[in-house]
Amino acid sequence: MNEKQEIIRIIKQYHQAINYLHYESLCYIPATTHLIKDGPRSQGCYMSHQLEKKMRAERCIQVVEEAKNHIGEEFYFIIEQDFIKHSDKYWYLEYYSKATYYRKKKAAMQAFLAYMSLFLEFYDE
């Protein structure tokens, strides 16, 4: 899988996590595990699964957003504009020449994937 496809896959998981937490915030899921143990077995398994899914989504969002601190603001800005926000195709013309943009984009993608590779194994389902 090439770098661009891998980043798209990661950002897709990031957007799914955001959407899941938004939907989850509209539903009631207890924050304590003692409620899970007290309920019926099937309900306890369901609640346990929901809590695990919520924690996984929160961690996914946290890891992607912490990338900014690890790869640098400029590289994260490029990743954000190209992959997270899906900005206009030529957004970079305001900041860089075409050659500089492609050079920095490649470096940003490599830095982002190097950072994310530390966490990818935990988010593959």
Side-chain angles (χ1 to χ4, degrees):
M1 187 177 293
N2 70 30
E3 292 173 337
K4 187 174 181 178
Q5 290 174 332
E6 185 64 20
I7 291 174
I8 290 170
R9 187 181 71 79
I10 293 167
I11 300 304
K12 183 178 177 183
Q13 288 179 345
Y14 171 76
H15 285 295
Q16 287 172 341
I18 289 172
N19 290 336
Y20 173 76
L21 288 180
H22 174 72
Y23 171 76
E24 185 272 335
S25 70
L26 302 175
C27 303
Y28 173 72
I29 297 179
T32 57
T33 56
H34 76 277
L35 293 174
I36 293 170
K37 294 178 183 176
D38 294 340
R41 182 178 173 102
S42 61
Q43 183 182 5
C45 290
Y46 171 77
M47 298 303 278
S48 176
H49 175 73
Q50 291 301 102
L51 286 172
E52 181 181 325
K53 196 171 179 180
K54 178 183 176 187
M55 289 188 298
R56 190 176 170 116
E58 289 170 344
R59 183 67 178 140
C60 178
I61 293 167
Q62 179 185 12
V63 166
V64 170
E65 291 175 355
E66 284 179 356
K68 184 179 197 174
N69 299 329
H70 296 279
I71 69 172
E73 288 189 27
E74 183 179 31
F75 283 172
Y76 189 81
F77 179 71
I78 292 170
I79 297 295
E80 186 176 48
Q81 295 300 314
D82 281 340
F83 299 101
I84 297 174
K85 291 184 177 177
H86 303 290
S87 295
D88 174 50
K89 185 176 180 180
Y90 300 106
W91 68 266
Y92 61 87
L93 293 175
E94 187 176 329
Y95 302 94
Y96 311 108
S97 69
K98 189 173 184 177
T100 301
Y101 163 71
Y102 282 108
R103 194 170 41 254
K104 287 182 181 274
K105 180 180 177 180
K106 182 169 180 63
M109 289 170 54
Q110 290 172 341
F112 183 76
L113 285 176
Y115 172 72
M116 291 305 294
S117 69
L118 302 171
F119 304 99
L120 287 178
E121 65 186 85
F122 301 109
Y123 298 108
D124 292 332
E125 292 185 312

